[in-house]
């Protein structure tokens, strides 16, 4: 299992600092309607599933991958995640994977799906060498599911209510079972919807863990403009609610805490999407296959072994926020940050807590600003903020809120430990 993980940024917390992924947007149709979904095209300020700037054909996708592969040597994963559901577009999805498997056998192939059609395609997924599959599963109870899904379209029939949810849940569980029996790594995504499924997600974790799923990614609800939840004034969960739900699941199975809820055309490091900035990618042909292999081997050899953080008593830890553009270094100005990575620090130990976004999603207006008050509220449980630069006014506001801002550069873990020692948090 380790060989399938150490270069996959979505499946490995450590790998996400160093390895890049690419989503090929070849699957426009979807076979279910979720109350939180309203696909919307080409807003560079948005980072959420279903958003793309341009749909591609399988041949166009393969061409774009070839351009990225030779210009981005740390690109190790190519996935299909929409903007609809890949298995509702089986011809385009599997042709794309077949082309990629033939042209780039060193790449990890990855699929994200709602799971409705998963039992029908488990064998094809295995045949094409797709080693990672993410299934979005939001409920085990059909009554709860009926509050999440408007309808499900299966074999030409449209199902609604609890009947639709029961059908989807049954197919999801069967699909996960078939995949894990074939040795395919399965990650389960769940959207945390307050007052709907928050307390229920622990049951989802128990069920999918029994079926052999590897990891659980619990994502806070994004209120997409125009969606049913948006119109009905649902709310996103608070930081405390999300932490509580993630912690409950983490006692059952590993929890992914570095998810950015990426666009369906995302390219690059998680948290440093290049899909809207192609000029950041070196020209095609900059790196040969041999160059890529050597660079990736060097990255792997330099990745530190994961600390045994599960054995650490984290009571009394110092919580810190970091502004970064990726690569596991502090390299972003506070005023430019649209997200902060949150860590706990205690003695010589550091653990990732999660990702917090500041005005991360388009609010439907021309201006998508990020008020300081929002950042202050988001970081209210932190005692430290590390960034590459910060203005006097926001620094003063942070200090008044009990958060110490420090200008630092270099390795995140090293600077967190050094800053904690510098401020004498631990004697």
């Amino acid at each position: 299992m380790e060989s399938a993980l150490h270069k996959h940024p979505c499946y490995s917390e450590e790998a996400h600092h160093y390895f890049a992924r690419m989503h090929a947007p070849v699957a426009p149709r979807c076979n279910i309607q979720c109350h939180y979904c309203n696909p919307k095209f080409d807003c560079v300020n948005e980072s959420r599933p279903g958003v793309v700037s341009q749909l591609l054909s399988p041949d166009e996708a393969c061409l774009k991958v070839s351009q990225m592969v030779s210009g981005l040597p740390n690109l190790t994963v190519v996935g299909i995640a929409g903007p609809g559901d890949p298995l509702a577009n089986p011809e385009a999805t599997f042709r794309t994977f077949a082309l990629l498997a033939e042209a780039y056998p060193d790449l990890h192939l990855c699929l994200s799906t709602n799971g409705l059609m998963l039992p029908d395609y488990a064998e094809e997924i295995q045949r094409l060498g797709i080693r990672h599959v993410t299934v979005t599963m939001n409920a085990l109870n059909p009554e709860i599911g009926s509050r999440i899904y408007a309808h499900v379209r299966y074999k030409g029939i449209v199902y609604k209510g609890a009947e639709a949810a029961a059908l989807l849940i049954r197919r999801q569980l069967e699909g996960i079972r078939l995949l894990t029996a074939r040795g395919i790594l399965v990650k389960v995504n769940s959207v945390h919807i307050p007052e709907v499924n928050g307390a229920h997600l622990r049951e989802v974790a128990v069920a999918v863990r029994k079926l052999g799923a590897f990891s659980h990614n619990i994502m806070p609800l994004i209120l997409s403009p125009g969606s049913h939840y948006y119109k009905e004034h649902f709310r996103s969960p608070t930081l405390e609610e999300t932490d509580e739900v993630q912690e409950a699941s983490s006692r059952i199975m590993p929890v992914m805490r570095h998810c950015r809820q990426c666009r369906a055309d995302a390219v690059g490091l998680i948290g440093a999407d290049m899909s809207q900035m192609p000029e950041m990618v070196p020209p095609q042909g900059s790196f040969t296959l041999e160059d890529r292999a050597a660079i990736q081997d060097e990255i792997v050899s330099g990745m530190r072994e994961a600390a045994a953080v599960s054995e650490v008593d984290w009571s009394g830890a110092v919580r810190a926020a970091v502004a970064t553009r990726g690569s596991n270094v502090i390299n972003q100005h506070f005023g430019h940050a649209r997200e902060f990575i949150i860590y706990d620090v205690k003695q010589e130990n550091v653990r990732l807590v999660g990702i917090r976004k500041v005005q991360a999603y388009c609010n439907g207006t021309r201006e998508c600003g990020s008020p300081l008050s929002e950042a202050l509220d988001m970081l209210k449980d932190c005692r430290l903020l590390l960034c590459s630069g910060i203005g006097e006014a926001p620094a003063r506001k942070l200090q008044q809120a009990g958060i110490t801002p420090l200008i630092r550069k270099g390795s995140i873990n090293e600077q967190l430990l050094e800053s904690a020692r510098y401020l004498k948090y631990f004697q």
Side-chain angles (χ1 to χ4, degrees):
M1 180 180 293
E2 182 62 29
S3 63
L5 289 175
H6 68 275
K7 290 186 180 181
H8 197 309
C10 301
Y11 279 60
S12 167
E13 178 182 315
E14 187 69 12
H16 99 275
H17 292 299
Y18 307 103
F19 289 108
R21 85 296 187 226
M22 177 176 175
H23 290 166
V26 299
R29 297 186 300 277
C30 195
N31 45 18
I32 71 174
Q33 177 61 59
C34 304
H35 284 318
Y36 51 75
C37 184
N38 181 34
K40 177 179 163 183
F41 296 87
D42 205 17
C43 178
V44 298
N45 295 303
E46 286 201 282
S47 175
R48 61 177 170 87
V51 177
V52 299
S53 293
Q54 180 184 11
L55 289 169
L56 301 178
S57 70
D59 293 294
E60 289 171 336
C62 196
L63 176 60
K64 189 167 184 178
V65 169
S66 71
Q67 295 169 344
M68 291 295 176
V69 161
S70 63
L72 203 61
N74 60 335
L75 177 63
T76 54
V77 174
V78 176
I80 300 178
D85 187 84
L87 299 184
N89 303 260
E91 298 85 3
T93 294
F94 291 127
R95 173 165 168 74
T96 303
F97 279 134
L99 291 171
L100 293 174
E102 181 178 1
Y104 304 103
D106 60 315
L107 286 176
H108 294 274
L109 301 181
C110 190
L111 171 73
S112 295
T113 175
N114 59 43
L116 178 64
M117 300 306 297
L118 205 47
D120 294 357
Y121 295 112
E123 186 174 333
E124 181 70 359
I125 289 169
Q126 181 185 31
R127 186 186 70 80
L128 286 170
I130 300 168
R131 304 168 68 184
H132 308 84
V133 175
T134 295
V135 181
T136 299
M137 186 172 190
N138 300 313
L140 270 181
N141 184 318
E143 291 300 326
I144 294 176
S146 69
R147 300 176 61 194
I148 301 172
Y149 309 110
H151 67 255
V152 169
R153 184 183 298 274
Y154 179 65
K155 293 187 176 180
I157 300 174
V158 176
Y159 298 85
K160 296 183 178 181
E163 183 183 21
L167 170 63
L168 176 61
I169 293 164
R170 184 170 65 253
R171 301 279 294 175
Q172 289 171 329
L173 294 174
E174 176 64 8
I176 293 170
R177 184 189 67 79
L178 290 171
L179 292 183
T180 58
R182 287 167 165 77
I184 296 169
L185 285 175
V186 175
K187 175 169 65 71
V188 172
N189 283 359
S190 297
V191 179
H192 175 200
I193 309 160
E195 288 85 46
V196 176
N197 69 347
H200 178 61
L201 289 179
R202 183 185 181 281
E203 296 179 38
V204 174
V206 170
V208 300
R209 181 60 171 171
K210 287 181 180 178
L211 292 173
F214 165 75
S215 176
H216 196 189
N217 175 26
I218 299 173
M219 308 175 294
L221 169 68
I222 301 170
L223 286 172
S224 303
S227 68
H228 173 78
Y229 282 160
Y230 182 88
K231 294 175 181 177
E232 295 298 319
H233 306 292
F234 276 65
R235 66 180 181 87
S236 298
T238 65
L239 298 176
E240 293 80 6
E241 287 172 330
T242 296
D243 286 347
E244 181 181 349
V245 172
Q246 289 181 339
E247 185 60 30
S249 184
S250 71
R251 291 191 285 269
I252 300 161
M253 64 190 300
V255 168
M256 178 183 178
R257 299 182 186 273
H258 59 279
C259 177
R260 306 305 207 274
Q261 294 173 271
C262 300
R263 295 166 57 102
D265 58 3
V267 179
L269 294 173
I270 294 180
D273 186 9
M274 296 178 178
S275 64
Q276 305 301 311
M277 297 174 287
E279 67 277 3
M280 294 178 62
V281 182
Q284 183 179 6
S286 298
F287 300 94
T288 65
L289 180 61
E290 292 74 18
D291 292 335
R292 294 180 63 247
I295 290 170
Q296 291 178 19
D297 287 345
E298 184 178 348
I299 292 173
V300 171
S301 66
M303 286 167 57
R304 62 179 177 81
E305 294 294 329
V309 295
S310 59
E311 299 176 2
V312 175
D313 177 8
W314 290 99
S315 58
V318 172
R319 184 150 291 183
V322 175
T324 175
R325 294 192 303 271
S327 300
N328 202 28
V329 293
I330 302 165
N331 55 8
Q332 191 165 46
H333 192 283
F334 174 79
H336 298 162
R338 292 297 175 264
E339 67 177 22
F340 296 95
I341 304 184
I342 309 300
Y343 294 90
D344 278 344
V345 185
K346 186 170 184 183
Q347 302 298 349
E348 297 301 314
N349 300 292
V350 176
R351 71 167 178 175
L352 175 69
V353 175
I355 310 297
R356 297 178 186 173
K357 290 179 176 286
V358 181
Q359 193 61 54
Y361 314 112
C362 181
N363 58 17
T365 64
R366 182 178 297 273
E367 299 297 329
C368 295
S370 302
L372 178 59
S373 58
E374 182 182 350
L376 289 172
D377 184 64
M378 180 171 294
L379 304 177
K380 61 186 178 184
D381 59 340
C382 296
R383 295 171 64 186
L384 268 177
L385 170 86
L386 305 188
C387 57
S388 64
I390 187 170
E392 291 184 8
R396 186 166 55 251
K397 290 285 188 181
L398 285 166
Q399 289 171 333
Q400 291 171 351
I403 305 167
T404 301
L406 295 175
I407 297 176
R408 293 285 189 269
K409 293 183 180 180
S411 165
I412 290 176
N413 278 29
E414 290 178 5
Q415 292 301 321
L416 284 170
L417 293 171
E418 181 179 316
S419 299
R421 288 192 292 267
Y422 169 73
L423 295 172
K424 299 181 179 179
Y425 284 127
F426 307 109
Q427 301 296 327

